[in-house]
Amino acid sequence: MDLTLHLTEACNLRCRYCYHQKSSKTMTAETLRSALALTGPSDRAAVSFFGGEPLLGRSLILEAFAECDRIRRDTGRHFMFQMTTNGTLLDEEFLQIARERSMIIALSYDGLAQDRNRRTAGGEGTAALVEDKIPLLLQHLPYAPVMMTVSPACAGLLADSVRRFVEADGFRYILFNPAFGPGISWTETDLTVLAEQYRRLGDLYITWHRQGRKVWLGPFESKIDAHIHGVSVCARSCALGSHRLSVAADGSLYPCVQFVGDPAYRMGDVRSGVDEAARTRIQATQRPQAVCGACALRGRCRHSCGCLNKLTSGDPRVTGGEACAHERLLIAQADRIGETLYRGKNRLFLRRHYDETYPLVSLLEDLIT
């Protein structure tokens, strides 16, 4: 069983679109150890550190490393570590530890929209706080991804932000997703702006591939892969607690990060374990919707993702109209990209999507260049 550990509900930033409750509640070391025991008999388990801002619970991360080392000695189980952070508290010492642990650190950063979307508790801008940390992050973890949340008011900054991530900062892995949730509304005008930004991003992606530049734009990649390999995007989802649990700071268990704190989706705690009746009830809400049955895109969109549905419609069984419209925009652009590069016999594109050895060969190429 993989785990997402919500080490603290505290955060040092105030993001306009954030839906997480802020408090001073922090996970105890005892709760942390009990949570890690839930990884079960598997040979490998992924542990993700989340918040709030997880680096406010830095000592707990170090405690988790020590506990996982003990479990590995006793059971042979191997652990993979991930963290999503706003980056403001990264430093040389922690990044050295992260590199030794082969930890994946995803930087949650909004590029040119950073100061408009994310402020400190005192109201100051945060772009300068993060920009100084990016060279240090990529020096230690050159494959670290950057994650951009796109708010309706800042949608027009998306393409230029991604260009800067790649061409100025040196990121190779970029994810971008629209902000959804309470108080956020995407108008037709906003979606038109987003469609144009996706077109520009598509042009950049094609140009970078023709240049042989290894850039991975996550939302496009998943749609292209689903088309080429016929693997449903929904089949790769979390399946609401079947193989990953979110552990709240107080030790309560939930099926995904979007549900943490909602009593209707609580499915046990780290001391008593998973409430199987609650898990079965919750998973029943992730059934594909009948309205999507005739849609030719249903295998390539996230219509059965209960987490996304809850954010966009308030009901995990119903896909919100904004989410449906966004998925259509994304798939249309992914198809244009894929067709252009495939028909052009672009070597990088063909290797990435059709050659199973590409990840290993690409890594070896990077090491010798």
Side-chain angles (χ1 to χ4, degrees), residues 159-276:
D160 286 337
S161 293
V162 173
R163 181 196 289 272
R164 180 175 174 179
F165 288 152
V166 174
E167 297 182 355
D169 296 327
F171 283 104
R172 310 182 195 191
Y173 293 85
I174 298 100
L175 295 98
F176 45 88
N177 287 293
F180 292 124
I184 298 173
S185 177
W186 286 84
T187 67
E188 289 294 331
T189 299
D190 296 330
L191 290 170
T192 298
V193 171
L194 188 61
E196 173 60 17
Q197 292 296 300
Y198 281 174
R199 186 198 64 76
R200 289 185 57 197
L201 274 183
D203 290 343
L204 285 170
Y205 185 92
I206 291 168
T207 297
W208 288 329
H209 270 65
R210 287 171 174 167
Q211 293 171 346
R213 187 192 289 261
K214 295 177 181 178
V215 176
W216 185 90
L217 302 184
F220 291 153
E221 309 292 349
S222 64
K223 305 305 186 187
I224 292 170
D225 278 342
H227 174 73
I228 292 173
H229 302 293
V231 178
S232 169
V233 170
C234 291
R236 300 176 178 175
S237 65
C238 65
L240 291 182
S242 65
H243 55 78
R244 176 179 288 275
L245 295 172
S246 280
V247 185
D250 66 0
S252 296
L253 303 178
Y254 297 90
C256 194
V257 296
Q258 280 88 349
F259 297 97
V260 170
D262 187 334
Y265 294 91
R266 188 179 185 275
M267 42 195 289
D269 60 64
V270 296
R271 287 160 285 278
S272 60
V274 176
D275 181 336
E276 292 297 341

Side-chain angles (χ1 to χ4, degrees), residues 148-160:
M148 180 178 179
T149 301
V150 184
S151 63
C154 299
L157 300 175
L158 173 59
D160 286 337

Side-chain angles (χ1 to χ4, degrees), residues 3 31 45 61 73 103 118 120 139 143 153 188 201 204 276:
L3 300 174
T31 296
I61 297 175
R73 288 193 298 270
M103 183 180 186
R118 302 182 179 212
T120 66
Q139 174 189 336
Y143 298 102
E188 289 294 331
L201 274 183
L204 285 170
E276 292 297 341

